[in-house]
Structure formats: C-alpha cells, structure tokens
C-alpha cells in the first residue's frame, strides 16, 4: 500500500470507523440500532462492542502491507458469528465489509471531488476489501453449517428422549445420540 494512501487512511481512521459502525448498525431494526449506538458499555452492549472492536481490527489489517488476512480473520469471525446467529441472509451478513469501500472513497475525496490518491491504489484497496468479503462469506457459511448441525443433533436427542419416555426404546443413557457432541458444540459456538 502506498505511503500516501496509508497515511490518509490513518488520518481519517476515527471518521471511517465511526461511519462504518453507523452503517453496520443501520442494517439492524431501528430499536436495536438505537440501543447498539447509544449503549457504550461493553458489558451492557457486548454486540456493539464486538462489532466496533472487530471493524477497528479489520481496518488496521487492511492498511498493513501484508497481503494475507490471517490477522483480520478473528475479527471477521466475531462479527459474522453474531450475524449468523441473528439469521441475516448471507448477502446481508457479509455486506458490512462492502460498505467500507464507499466510506473510504467518501473520506478520501478532496473538496473538488477528486481523489487525493491514485486510482491504482484505490483499485488495490478495493481488491483487498473484495478478498475480505469472500473470506467473510466462507466464515458465515461455516457458522451456519455448525448451527444446523447443532439443531439436527438437538432434534435427534429430543426424538430419542420421547421414544424413551414412551417406552419404545430402552437403552443406556450414555447411548443417547449426540450427548457428548452437543456439549462440545455449545462450547464451540459460544467461543
């Protein structure tokens, strides 16, 4: 990344993060968005806190010179886990990453409407953000698959218990399907 672009992004960091956070919260219903914007305490508003910390980490990873996104992956994962559980459609769940392109362009525009950085640099930045969108989609799909597995195991367990109560099945408790798997699943989802 060009030093000029990196410096401009660092200068505008707080404005970009503020606008990005507001744009993400606008994807929620009005009541939820209002709460997430106004409640600053991380313990009363863990979702808002996680989103803000996540986008700050993602932004910092974008402006690094490295081409990989290993550092951004945990931040994306934290945000996308929330959005996957909240039943966002895949496109809506990852769209928050795309919002960053417009926000950065708006912040980098000079008063005359021209960009203070080269179009080549903007194109490279867009490419980085596009790669983050693809990574986000992979993370989202992994989260959703895991949720469906948990739900399927819960249905199996409930069916087994119903059959046991109806005395149609008499097996030892440790043979109950998915008992150990589900406890492990719950721990993994809450990580």
């Amino acid at each position: 990344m060009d030093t000029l672009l990196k410096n401009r992004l660092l200068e505008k960091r707080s404005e970009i993060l503020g606008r990005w956070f507001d744009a993400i919260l606008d994807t929620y219903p009005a009541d939820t968005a209002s709460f997430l914007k106004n409640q600053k305490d991380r313990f009363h508003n863990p979702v808002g806190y996680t989103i803000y910390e996540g986008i700050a980490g993602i932004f910092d990873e974008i402006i690094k010179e490295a081409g990989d996104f290993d550092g951004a992956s945990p931040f994306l994962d934290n945000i996308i886990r929330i959005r996957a559980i909240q039943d966002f459609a895949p496109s809506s769940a990852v769209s928050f990453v795309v919002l960053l392109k417009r926000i950065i362009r708006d912040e980098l525009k000079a008063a005359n409407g021209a960009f203070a950085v080269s179009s080549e640099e903007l194109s490279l930045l867009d490419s980085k953000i596009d790669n983050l969108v693809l990574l986000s989609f992979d993370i989202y799909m992994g989260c959703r698959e895991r949720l469906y597995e948990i739900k399927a195991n819960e249905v199996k367990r409930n069916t087994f218990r119903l059959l046991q109560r109806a005395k149609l099945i008499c097996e030892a408790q440790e043979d109950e399907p998915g008992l150990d798997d589900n406890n492990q699943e719950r721990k993994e989802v809450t990580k």
Side-chain angles (χ1 to χ4, degrees), residues 75-92:
F75 298 112
L76 283 170
D77 187 70
N78 289 339
I79 296 171
I80 291 170
R81 279 181 189 266
I82 292 168
R83 294 172 78 84
I85 290 171
Q86 294 171 331
D87 287 329
F88 277 92
S91 59
S92 297

Side-chain angles (χ1 to χ4, degrees), residues 61-77:
E61 288 297 318
I62 287 173
I63 60 175
K64 282 185 178 178
E65 297 298 321
D68 64 9
F69 294 109
D70 291 340
S73 188
F75 298 112
L76 283 170
D77 187 70

Side-chain angles (χ1 to χ4, degrees), residues 142-170:
C143 289
R144 294 302 294 179
E145 287 172 7
R146 193 71 184 128
L147 286 172
Y148 289 129
E149 287 175 16
I150 291 169
K151 288 177 183 179
N153 285 337
E154 187 68 25
V155 167
K156 286 180 199 175
R157 197 171 28 267
N158 288 340
T159 303
F160 179 83
R161 287 181 183 151
L162 286 173
L163 291 172
Q164 252 185 340
R165 285 185 193 149
K167 301 205 188 271
L168 297 173
I169 269 187
C170 291

Side-chain angles (χ1 to χ4, degrees), residues 44-187:
H44 288 101
N45 183 7
V47 171
Y49 178 82
T50 300
I51 291 171
Y52 192 83
E53 290 298 309
I55 63 173
I58 293 166
F59 182 82
D60 292 342
E61 288 297 318
I62 287 173
I63 60 175
K64 282 185 178 178
E65 297 298 321
D68 64 9
F69 294 109
D70 291 340
S73 188
F75 298 112
L76 283 170
D77 187 70
N78 289 339
I79 296 171
I80 291 170
R81 279 181 189 266
I82 292 168
R83 294 172 78 84
I85 290 171
Q86 294 171 331
D87 287 329
F88 277 92
S91 59
S92 297
V94 301
S95 67
F96 74 94
V97 180
V98 177
L99 296 172
L100 183 58
K101 282 184 184 183
R102 179 183 43 83
I103 293 166
I104 287 176
R105 287 179 184 279
D106 289 348
E107 288 295 327
L108 292 178
K109 277 188 183 175
N112 65 1
F115 290 107
V117 295
S118 72
S119 60
E120 182 180 314
E121 285 299 313
L122 284 175
S123 179
L124 289 172
L125 182 63
D126 285 348
S127 179
K128 278 185 159 186
I129 294 171
D130 290 342
N131 287 332
L132 283 174
V133 171
L134 296 175
L135 178 60
S136 298
F137 186 75
D138 289 344
I139 292 169
Y140 176 85
M141 291 310 297
C143 289
R144 294 302 294 179
E145 287 172 7
R146 193 71 184 128
L147 286 172
Y148 289 129
E149 287 175 16
I150 291 169
K151 288 177 183 179
N153 285 337
E154 187 68 25
V155 167
K156 286 180 199 175
R157 197 171 28 267
N158 288 340
T159 303
F160 179 83
R161 287 181 183 151
L162 286 173
L163 291 172
Q164 252 185 340
R165 285 185 193 149
K167 301 205 188 271
L168 297 173
I169 269 187
C170 291
E171 292 185 29
Q173 185 73 359
E174 56 270 6
D175 291 339
E176 185 175 337
L179 183 63
D180 293 332
D181 293 342
N182 191 48
N183 290 336
Q184 182 65 27
E185 290 165 1
R186 288 184 181 154
K187 289 177 187 173

